[in-house]
Amino acid sequence: MDREENIAGGGLDPVLARRWLDTAVEEARTGLAEGGIPIGAALYGPDGRLLGRGHNRRVQDDDPSVHGETDAFRDAGRQRSYRGTTMVTTLSPCWYCSGLVRQFGISRVVVGEATTFHGGHGWLAEHGVEIVLLDDPECVAMMRAFIEERPELWNEDIGDE
């Protein structure tokens, strides 16, 4: 499978991908309501069961390592294997979260949007992770509004000075 085909994410039912994204969007809204960065995530098992969910808690916990994906991963707890699991995130995963996906062998990542931030999803695709890029207008609008309202916090989050 070539990279473009892998990014298209051919194997996942689009209706299911959107339903799973709803969980991540709900988490992103929770993070925003708590005064944090609106990035949410969820980890689904190979059988479609929700294993864990979470949101970026860098501000709330004063911990730069609690991204949406890591929060969902921690919420899922220990799994015998992560093969066949799907990480769903409202925003293209940063390099840190992309590394988590590779380290633990998560098979697929559903990305709500990569317009406001183009993270490591292309690199993941090059390494055999199926990427489903949804270009969801709600995810884009939520991040654009946040970036406009809190540019200093956004720049801190992405490591841009």
Side-chain angles (χ1 to χ4, degrees), residues 24-100:
V25 168
E26 187 177 306
E27 285 292 327
R29 287 187 194 130
T30 298
L32 185 61
E34 294 172 350
I37 299 161
I39 303 170
L43 183 66
Y44 283 88
D47 60 357
R49 183 174 55 94
L50 178 63
L51 300 173
R53 58 190 295 161
H55 53 275
N56 186 303
R57 303 186 55 77
R58 295 179 77 249
V59 173
Q60 299 91 314
D61 293 356
D62 195 29
D63 182 348
S65 70
V66 187
H67 292 204
E69 297 89 341
T70 60
D71 198 32
F73 183 74
R74 289 174 180 160
D75 187 53
R78 289 177 55 206
Q79 305 293 314
R80 179 171 160 80
S81 171
Y82 294 90
R83 285 200 173 31
T85 62
T86 300
M87 179 67 75
V88 182
T89 180
T90 57
L91 186 64
S92 179
C94 70
W95 291 110
Y96 169 58
C97 295
S98 295
L100 178 142

Side-chain angles (χ1 to χ4, degrees), residues 82-87 101 104-109 128-131:
Y82 294 90
R83 285 200 173 31
T85 62
T86 300
M87 179 67 75
V101 168
F104 291 96
I106 294 170
S107 300
R108 178 188 301 130
V109 178
V129 177
E130 180 184 348
I131 303 298

Side-chain angles (χ1 to χ4, degrees), residues 105-127:
I106 294 170
S107 300
R108 178 188 301 130
V109 178
V110 173
V111 178
E113 67 104 344
T115 302
T116 60
F117 179 76
H118 194 282
H121 70 269
W123 175 77
L124 288 170
E126 290 171 3
H127 288 87

